[in-house]
Amino acid sequence: MRQYKNIVSLDFELFNSYLYWSICWSGAVSADLGLRETARYTRLYNPVTRRKNTGSKIKFPFTFDDLKKEPTFGGAGRELFKLLEEDTLVVGHAIDNDVRMIIEACHHYKLPMPTFDFLDTVVVYSAVTGTQEARSLSHLAEQFGFEFEAHDPTEDAAATLEVLRRLLQQADCGLADLEEKFGFHFGRLEKGMMRRCYIESVSHKALKHIENQNALFDTVVKFDGNVEPKPGYNNRTFCFAGSLSADQDVSRVAERLLRAGGRITGCLHAADKTVTTCIDEYEMAGQTDAIFFKTLVTDLGMTADDCDGLDFKPTKITALSGVNISYEEYLKKRYPTAADGDMKGERFVFNSSADRLYIYEQLYREITSRGGSVTPRVRGARYFVLNTPEQIDDTHDLRILALHSRAGRGVRTINVAELITLLASPYERPAQPLPPVGDAPRKKRRRRRPSKAKQGDAENAVAAQHENAN
């Protein structure tokens, strides 16, 4: 743990929860390293927006007309930032939200971005209790037996400091012992990017998401500044969509983007372009401020080897009509199967890791242009394409086990490298015939018995017919 001079517990209130820069009230409590309170700070701001949207549970003791008399956060935010110095540890409950508010407000009001380390009491609670479920500040105050005025930011900040004291007492440790005892990592705000605060004992999926986002932070902060300007990227600002940076490590792409003269921000609204895996026909036409992930990688001159491990399968594809379609439907529409070619009638199936590769669309186009087709169904296919050679011998993949049980039926398992070699020369059709599409026995359908109610209705109808006939 770094040596800090003091601690500041911080909280903000937004006038409109959808506008992270609309800070209308801030509160802070300063404390020494023993977590003893030394001073309090509170300030109201003009949120600029008149539209209030905070949910029904939050009631402010003021109106917009009251706030109009106050300076905006852009006019008074520097006063608060004097408390948030490099040698200060900032504490908050679910503080990621407060840090994002600072990032958004600094970009919106053109304020210099502060730099500080921070600690999240939600993460400390998980570390001490072993509970992964987040608890609200009110819940923890009730659990520890003290009261406070919720949604008053100064009161929230004081309550957060008290929760931290109680948790450290329960764990019988100090701030300096958190890292060694619980695998605790402090967060950090620097250069407009946020490094997440976390513990190593979270679930594998959650840890992977955090590590991916922190890798992006490290790339931006540690960049050496050697730039080879590239047209269209020099002095342009980019923001990686949250789902994209959480799902995979985009640090190699980010480093190449910075090398091309681009800038990266953690604030979506401050970016010239948002990097996303969603395909929209407007985006593809360059009519919005989004850029498709694969388009970015291609423009930067990255190869398939540079992109090893990255996921290029779009999460959503929206046509101009507003209808969402699948990735496979999009590819069928864009690369229809040729009427003739040396691969006519040959069917290929890609497993779920192979169809996410950078080169997948290129392979799809090559197959269909030569008369072949790509299908999600193994039945009737000639080739089952996997990402790596190791996956062919995977004893846990049920689809591969099913293929092994079909020995002699013409289905071959190959990896992507073998497929590239296969497509590099004129195709020689194997002597073994294609497996028939309907070679697997079909399930017999069970006839459902009608419910008693329907059966009774039917009997009544028959009886009524007899009466009418008589």
Side-chain angles (χ1 to χ4, degrees):
M1 175 180 164
R2 292 181 54 189
Q3 293 299 316
Y4 301 103
K5 289 186 178 180
N6 62 331
I7 294 170
V8 172
S9 183
L10 181 70
D11 188 57
F12 292 113
E13 294 295 332
L14 295 177
F15 198 73
N16 188 322
S17 301
Y18 293 98
L19 303 175
Y20 262 42
W21 47 264
S22 65
I23 300 172
C24 64
W25 198 3
S26 72
V29 175
S30 300
D32 59 23
L33 297 183
L35 300 181
R36 292 177 291 270
E37 184 178 326
T38 57
R40 290 194 175 197
Y41 174 89
T42 187
R43 185 67 194 257
L44 296 176
Y45 308 99
N46 180 350
V48 181
T49 176
R50 180 179 287 275
R51 185 177 180 183
K52 184 176 180 294
N53 193 331
T54 57
S56 58
K57 292 183 179 179
I58 301 178
K59 305 292 183 183
F60 291 143
F62 45 74
T63 64
F64 178 75
D65 289 335
D66 298 326
L67 295 174
K68 278 173 63 177
K69 307 166 188 174
E70 303 292 338
T72 65
F73 190 83
R78 289 180 175 83
E79 186 180 279
L80 175 64
F81 288 170
K82 289 178 182 178
L83 303 175
L84 313 180
E85 297 177 344
E86 178 76 26
D87 55 5
T88 299
L89 177 64
V90 180
V91 177
H93 193 75
I95 194 174
D96 282 7
N97 291 322
D98 299 288
V99 173
R100 288 192 182 98
M101 292 176 201
I102 291 176
I103 293 172
E104 293 267 0
C106 285
H107 280 294
H108 185 80
Y109 294 110
K110 312 299 183 194
L111 290 173
M113 193 76 64
T115 300
F116 55 80
D117 290 349
F118 61 86
L119 172 151
D120 192 339
T121 48
V122 172
V123 181
V124 179
Y125 177 80
S126 295
V128 173
T129 64
T131 304
Q132 298 299 331
E133 185 180 352
R135 305 288 187 184
S136 68
L137 194 56
S138 298
H139 180 98
L140 293 181
E142 184 179 345
Q143 179 178 325
F144 288 123
F146 68 90
E147 296 181 353
F148 74 104
E149 188 67 34
H151 303 302
D152 177 325
T154 309
E155 286 287 307
D156 286 352
T160 299
L161 203 59
E162 182 61 26
V163 165
L164 181 59
R165 287 193 205 100
R166 302 290 183 95
L167 287 171
L168 294 178
Q169 287 172 5
Q170 184 175 327
D172 192 25
C173 72
L175 286 172
D177 305 319
L178 285 173
E179 188 171 354
E180 183 177 351
K181 190 167 183 177
F182 298 108
F184 189 94
H185 295 266
F186 291 90
R188 184 170 177 81
L189 171 63
E190 186 174 355
K191 294 185 178 180
M193 300 291 291
M194 180 177 66
R195 182 176 178 83
R196 297 278 301 277
C197 175
Y198 70 101
I199 50 175
E200 296 170 358
S201 60
V202 296
S203 68
H204 175 73
K205 183 177 181 180
L207 183 60
K208 195 67 181 171
H209 285 182
I210 293 168
E211 287 176 342
N212 288 341
Q213 291 180 331
N214 287 352
L216 179 60
F217 170 92
D218 291 338
T219 301
V220 174
V221 170
K222 296 177 181 178
F223 180 65
D224 59 17
N226 291 326
V227 174
E228 300 169 2
K230 187 176 177 64
Y233 293 91
N234 194 31
N235 293 324
R236 301 291 296 278
T237 305
F238 295 79
C239 178
F240 287 86
S243 58
L244 178 61
S245 59
D247 288 341
Q248 54 195 309
D249 182 359
V250 296
S251 56
R252 283 170 293 167
V253 181
E255 198 276 337
R256 187 70 67 91
L257 179 57
L258 293 170
R259 195 73 63 199
R263 294 189 293 261
I264 297 175
T265 177
C267 177
L268 189 66
H269 301 100
D272 298 314
K273 291 283 186 181
T274 303
V275 185
T276 177
T277 53
C278 298
I279 293 182
D280 183 279
E281 290 188 20
Y282 285 113
E283 293 170 8
M284 300 299 283
Q287 296 178 18
T288 72
D289 62 351
I291 181 170
F292 184 38
F293 186 39
K294 189 171 182 179
T295 304
L296 171 69
V297 168
T298 304
D299 288 350
L300 291 174
M302 299 182 72
T303 64
D305 291 336
D306 296 330
C307 302
D308 184 36
L310 294 179
D311 180 1
F312 291 93
K313 188 171 185 178
T315 54
K316 183 185 71 171
I317 302 171
T318 308
L320 290 175
S321 59
V323 178
N324 287 345
I325 60 175
S326 70
Y327 187 35
E328 292 302 324
E329 288 176 300
Y330 165 79
L331 291 175
K332 282 180 182 178
K333 181 180 176 182
R334 189 169 187 183
Y335 309 113
T337 301
D340 203 1
D342 59 347
M343 286 188 169
K344 185 177 181 179
E346 299 287 20
R347 296 158 65 98
F348 294 77
V349 178
F350 288 78
N351 77 333
S352 58
S353 62
D355 68 4
R356 298 173 184 273
L357 297 176
Y358 173 77
I359 201 171
Y360 173 68
E361 189 170 339
Q362 179 183 334
L363 296 173
Y364 187 103
R365 181 180 60 207
E366 179 70 15
I367 290 169
T368 55
S369 67
R370 294 165 68 172
S373 61
V374 178
T375 173
R377 299 181 63 187
V378 176
R379 183 184 299 155
R382 173 83 73 184
Y383 298 98
F384 187 61
V385 187
L386 300 114
N387 188 1
T388 62
E390 292 76 21
Q391 289 178 327
I392 294 176
D393 300 319
D394 188 351
T395 57
H396 299 289
D397 191 320
L398 297 180
R399 295 181 80 188
I400 296 173
L401 292 177
L403 284 174
H404 286 316
S405 70
R406 289 169 174 240
R409 297 198 180 183
V411 183
R412 291 179 52 194
T413 53
I414 61 175
N415 60 64
V416 170
E418 291 173 323
L419 175 60
I420 293 172
T421 304
L422 183 72
L423 296 173
S425 55
Y427 181 67
E428 295 182 9
R429 199 174 299 275
Q432 193 172 18
L434 275 170
V437 174
D439 63 342
R442 294 186 177 275
K443 261 188 173 181
K444 288 185 178 180
R445 287 189 176 182
R446 281 183 67 183
R447 292 187 65 184
R448 291 185 178 180
R449 280 185 165 184
S451 65
K452 289 184 177 180
K454 288 185 178 179
Q455 199 169 358
D457 292 341
E459 291 173 355
N460 292 336
V462 171
Q465 285 178 359
H466 282 296
E467 286 181 11
N468 293 335
N470 295 329

